[in-house]
Every structure is written in C-alpha cells, then in structure tokens.
Amino acid sequence: MQEKHEKPSVTVDIVIFTIKENNLQVLLVKRGIEPFKNQWAIPGGFVKIDESLEEAAKRELQEETGVKDVYLEQLYTFGSPKRDPRGRVITVSYIALVNSSDINLKASTDVSDAQWFAVSDIPIIAFDHKEILQYALKRLKWKFEYTTVAFSLLPKEFTISQIQKLYEIVFNKEFDKRNFAKKILSLNILKEEGINHEVSHRPPMLYSLKNNIGEIIEIL
Amino acid sequence: MQEKHEKPSVTVDIVIFTIKENNLQVLLVKRGIEPFKNQWAIPGGFVKIDESLEEAAKRELQEETGVKDVYLEQLYTFGSPKRDPRGRVITVSYIALVNSSDINLKASTDVSDAQWFAVSDIPIIAFDHKEILQYALKRLKWKFEYTTVAFSLLPKEFTISQIQKLYEIVFNKEFDKRNFAKKILSLNILKEEGINHEVSHRPPMLYSLKNNIGEIIEIL
DNA sequence: ACAAAAGTGTTGTTCCTACACCCATGA
DNA sequence: TCATGGGTGTAGGAACAACACTTTTGT
C-alpha cells in the first residue's frame, strides 16, 4: 500500500501571536530559499516521519522563538494541490500564543530574519499564508470570547485591568470597566492572590486563574 | 526538497451523520482488508496527488453513499505516528450531514459492507476512529447550537416541529414547543412557504431557510 | 366524537447595558 | 495636592424559562 500512491509532503505552519506595544502581533519569517525567497511567511517546516503533528509544531515553535509550554492549538489543514509551486504540500496549521517577554527570536537554517508584525499591518506574504492568517485571527477572537486562552498571555498573577486591556486589543474595542470586572469575576474562575504594592497609585488586587477550569465557558 | 524527507501517507476520513428512525446515526463500513479486517471503521481513503482535501472527501462520500452537494466540513487532522500499524498515515477528518432519504449505500472496493449505527450504540471501531467520532459529535452539537447546519438535514420545506425534533434528537433532550418556535422565528431566517394540507390533522405552516444567512448566529 | 398535531401569551427571573464618582497610593 | 489608575452600584430593558389551552383537520 505504501507504493501504490504518490505521496504529498506534509508541513506544519504556526501562526504565533503575541501582545506587544499594545498591539496584537504575529511572527513572520523572511524566507531564505526559493520559492518566495526574501518574502515574509508564517514560520513552519516539514513533519518528520516519526513525530506527531503537535510535536512538529512544538519543535518549529521552539526553533523560531525559543519558547516551550505555550498555548498551541491545531487550526486547519490546507491542501490545495497548487498551494506550493514545488509540488504537492499539505500543511497543518497551528495557532500559538506566546508571552512576548519570554521570546527569544532566532534565525534558523532557512530563515534569514524573523520579525513581529501588528495584525493590522501585515505585509504581502508567501503561499496561501494570508488565508491562513485570516483564519487564525477569526479563531483567536472566537477563543477569546468563549474560553480562557487569553490568560495564557498574562503572567501568573495579573489585575483585572490587564485582562481588560488584552480583550480591548484583540477585539479592537473598549469595554466598560465596571461591567467587565463584574462579568469576569462572576465567572468564578479567578483566585485572589493579594495586593500589588509596587505601583505608584492605588494598589490593585492580583488574581490568578484557578486550575481545573473547563474549556468552553463564554467569557463575553 | 522532495527527496530529503520520507513522506507520510495522507487520507481523508468522513464522519457521515444522518437522522434515521428518530436517531442520530453514523455510517460505518466493514473493512475488507487488513489491518483491522472485518472491523467497522469510519469511511475514508487516500488523497490523490492532484486533488484537494475537500475533493478527496467529496469523492469518498460519493463512493460510499452516492450523494453529492451535502454539508461537508473539515473537522481535525489526526497524525500520531502510531495510529496506523502499516506506517505513517495522517488523516484529515471531515463531517458530512446527509439526508437519509437521499442515500444509496454502495460497497466500494475495500469495503465489504456499510451500515448505519445510532451514535448511542457504536461498536468497537478500527484505528483511532473512536476518538475521531467523539470529536465529530462534539463539533456537530456545537454547530447545531450556533449555526444553521441543521437545516441541511431537512427537505427544502419543513415545519417548525420538524426542526424541533431534529434538535431534540441531537441534544437528546426535549424543548418547550412555545419557546422553541418563538426562538426560531425571532431569528428571522425562515420564509413562509404556505400550508401543508397533506396531513390528517391541523395543517402546519411550511417554512424554508432564507438564502444569504450568515454562518454563525446562535440558535439556542 | 375523537385523535393528532398545530398554534399561541403571560409572568417572573435573570442577564445585559449604560452610566459617574470616590479611593489609595507615590511623587 | 496632584496625578494615576483602582474599585464600586443602580436602574431600565432584553432575553429566557416555565407554564396549558384552543384550533383545525381527517377518520
């Protein structure tokens, strides 16, 4: 059965989001080889024959950013026969959310440069990566609305207004402070962690996310 | 680049749902070849080198059921290196919703039998297909709750109580008739199509789904 | 007349939205 | 004392859940 079919190549591509400078940003790499040499692209690479898709995604993520143990989720599999001019390449795309303070950009073998771009300001990108990115953004917003993924972008202890800023950035829209706090606190997913006295104004309450929170809960 | 990497095989598997005998049912095929010969499995097959994933899924769907133009959606890509004992096989799974009156089961080359099973009564199945099926069910419920996919299981013209029965089957739970009708009608997605006089009781209003309905709308 | 399914309204509760002021601290 | 962000309550409206009887038709 192995020999009967001509096989496609399989890659993983990872849309890596972070929050930087009050913006939602995505990591793109400048391609060092053809095709699309010197164009920006979503980072990714071939799946090895003995690693799972998620392992491949984690490996690529670490090669690009140096981070481990971040939020990583499979997005969609793109497999149009013409999406790669070199031949049949099916790509399994992933979303990752990384804390911008943890990252450590490295140039890997087929990448001459890597850079963050605000999602509102994406350059022309290689292959069908624009479509992948649009899909990723849609999914990200959905995840923010209905799950607790957002908290993976915050330090272990955080204030209500840090959460609110995150949501305001992702949805590009302001929320009422009182209603937002009421909503988040009513979900019963936060634990009080004491007061942060290291600020030069009224000291805020710090919270952490309770463990054992289920997946889907409807945040907004 | 084609020769540097040993390539996995890529298949599509399609979880085909229908409503039959007041039950949500799934089509399984009995495998005619090893591995798992004579076990039930989700229908699927290899992706040809020059067809897209969706084309492959449509082709398999038609081979199994004879139907075209049904609801079809990519579900998830399963790629654990050990999921197929023959070697590395990555499978892109799909969900299809078919109207049981349209179907016409055929036995294809590597299938000696195909049969509908109620989702509450699934036998032991091959590979990691149990996991795929669980995932499909979760997604199906979500889609029913938030989108208009359910209508693809009904004829063009239908009554409110047909919709309600569909939802009651999928969620395995009864809804209040008045509240259900109120909710569905308030969504403004139905068009009145006149009264069905071919019943032996008070004749019901027939509706059709308006075209140009957006994807996600929150039904329940 | 009866059986079968269609159709329809109200009330109490909960959730959502809009909106403005005082508080605690460091400089 | 001032600047900075933190923290808090209420009222009106919308959506939701619970609940039962009458209507139209065929037999």
Side-chain angles (χ1 to χ4, degrees):
Chain A
M1 139 272 179
Q2 307 289 42
E3 293 69 24
K4 273 193 308 210
H5 305 83
E6 198 186 340
K7 296 176 185 173
S9 298
V10 178
T11 59
V12 288
D13 284 328
I14 306 143
V15 181
I16 305 169
F17 287 107
T18 199
I19 302 286
K20 262 187 93 160
E21 294 150 13
N22 276 348
N23 261 134
L24 179 62
Q25 310 212 1
V26 174
L27 188 68
L28 298 178
V29 295
K30 193 172 253 173
R31 289 181 59 78
I33 57 173
E34 292 294 351
F36 298 102
K37 187 167 176 176
N38 294 323
Q39 270 200 31
W40 294 101
I42 296 170
F46 290 94
V47 175
K48 297 189 171 153
I49 199 70
D50 58 353
E51 71 184 350
S52 73
L53 300 170
E54 188 166 320
E55 281 160 7
K58 278 185 183 157
R59 177 176 51 74
E60 292 288 342
L61 180 62
Q62 205 187 349
E63 284 172 17
E64 299 296 343
T65 64
V67 298
K68 284 203 284 192
D69 301 323
V70 299
Y71 182 81
L72 184 68
E73 166 186 323
Q74 188 183 305
L75 180 62
Y76 195 80
T77 300
F78 294 83
S80 152
K82 296 271 173 266
R83 57 178 296 284
D84 189 318
R86 290 168 294 185
R88 187 72 198 274
V89 181
I90 289 169
T91 196
V92 183
S93 61
Y94 280 78
I95 287 182
L97 299 183
V98 309
N99 204 305
S100 66
S101 58
D102 296 343
I103 61 125
N104 167 21
L105 298 180
K106 309 178 186 184
S108 79
T109 50
D110 57 351
V111 166
S112 55
D113 203 358
Q115 196 180 306
W116 293 104
F117 290 86
V119 295
S120 53
D121 195 23
I122 298 290
I124 290 173
I125 47 182
F127 304 105
D128 53 359
H129 287 184
K130 189 172 179 193
E131 191 188 348
I132 297 177
L133 191 50
Q134 281 169 346
Y135 201 86
L137 249 177
K138 206 170 118 184
R139 175 79 65 91
L140 182 73
K141 286 184 182 173
W142 189 88
K143 283 276 165 175
F144 263 64
E145 195 161 353
Y146 293 104
T147 78
T148 54
V149 278
F151 297 92
S152 65
L153 284 169
L154 292 172
K156 258 196 210 82
E157 304 194 343
F158 47 81
T159 65
I160 298 285
S161 65
Q162 278 179 289
I163 312 171
Q164 183 171 346
K165 273 204 198 83
L166 207 48
Y167 274 86
E168 288 179 337
I169 289 168
V170 168
F171 288 99
N172 194 26
K173 154 183 181 184
E174 301 200 335
F175 297 97
D176 178 83
K177 200 167 45 143
R178 285 162 293 189
N179 293 339
F180 190 88
K182 217 182 304 170
K183 193 71 182 290
I184 294 291
L185 292 172
S186 76
L187 295 172
N188 235 0
I189 56 176
L190 298 185
K191 201 165 66 206
E192 295 194 353
E193 294 286 357
I195 289 172
N196 176 15
H197 286 283
E198 295 166 343
V199 291
S200 74
H201 54 74
R202 174 167 176 177
M205 176 64 75
L206 290 170
Y207 295 89
S208 65
L209 188 63
K210 284 184 190 169
N211 2 347
N212 315 322
I213 300 297
E215 244 288 273
I216 292 184
I217 55 173
E218 190 147 343
I219 302 263
L220 297 187
Chain B
M1 138 273 179
Q2 308 288 42
E3 292 69 24
K4 271 192 308 206
H5 306 83
E6 198 185 339
K7 295 175 185 173
S9 298
V10 178
T11 59
V12 288
D13 285 327
I14 306 142
V15 181
I16 306 169
F17 287 106
T18 199
I19 302 286
K20 260 186 95 161
E21 294 150 14
N22 276 348
N23 261 133
L24 179 63
Q25 309 212 2
V26 174
L27 188 68
L28 299 179
V29 296
K30 193 173 254 173
R31 289 181 58 79
I33 57 172
E34 293 292 351
F36 298 101
K37 187 167 175 177
N38 294 322
Q39 271 200 31
W40 294 101
I42 296 170
F46 291 93
V47 175
K48 297 189 172 154
I49 200 68
D50 59 353
E51 71 185 350
S52 72
L53 300 170
E54 189 167 319
E55 281 161 8
K58 279 186 181 155
R59 177 176 53 72
E60 293 288 341
L61 179 62
Q62 207 188 346
E63 284 171 18
E64 299 296 342
T65 64
V67 298
K68 284 203 284 193
D69 301 322
V70 300
Y71 182 80
L72 184 68
E73 165 186 325
Q74 189 183 303
L75 180 63
Y76 195 79
T77 300
F78 294 84
S80 151
K82 297 271 172 263
R83 57 177 297 282
D84 189 319
R86 291 169 292 185
R88 186 71 197 275
V89 181
I90 290 168
T91 195
V92 183
S93 60
Y94 280 78
I95 286 182
L97 298 183
V98 309
N99 204 305
S100 67
S101 59
D102 295 344
I103 60 125
N104 167 21
L105 298 180
K106 308 178 185 183
S108 78
T109 50
D110 57 351
V111 167
S112 53
D113 203 359
Q115 196 180 306
W116 292 104
F117 290 86
V119 294
S120 54
D121 195 25
I122 298 290
I124 291 172
I125 46 181
F127 304 106
D128 53 359
H129 287 184
K130 189 172 179 192
E131 190 189 349
I132 296 177
L133 191 49
Q134 282 170 346
Y135 200 87
L137 251 177
K138 205 170 119 186
R139 175 79 67 91
L140 182 72
K141 286 185 183 173
W142 189 87
K143 282 276 165 174
F144 263 63
E145 196 162 352
Y146 293 104
T147 78
T148 55
V149 277
F151 297 91
S152 65
L153 284 169
L154 293 172
K156 256 195 211 83
E157 304 193 344
F158 47 81
T159 65
I160 298 286
S161 64
Q162 279 178 289
I163 313 172
Q164 184 171 344
K165 273 202 198 84
L166 206 50
Y167 275 87
E168 288 179 337
I169 290 168
V170 169
F171 289 99
N172 193 27
K173 153 182 184 187
E174 301 200 334
F175 296 98
D176 179 83
K177 201 166 45 142
R178 286 163 291 187
N179 293 340
F180 190 88
K182 218 183 301 170
K183 191 72 181 288
I184 294 291
L185 293 171
S186 75
L187 294 173
N188 237 359
I189 56 175
L190 299 184
K191 202 165 65 205
E192 295 194 354
E193 294 287 357
I195 290 171
N196 175 16
H197 287 283
E198 296 166 343
V199 291
S200 74
H201 54 74
R202 175 167 177 177
M205 177 62 77
L206 289 170
Y207 296 90
S208 65
L209 188 64
K210 284 183 190 169
N211 2 348
N212 315 323
I213 301 298
E215 244 287 274
I216 292 185
I217 55 174
E218 190 147 344
I219 303 261
L220 297 186

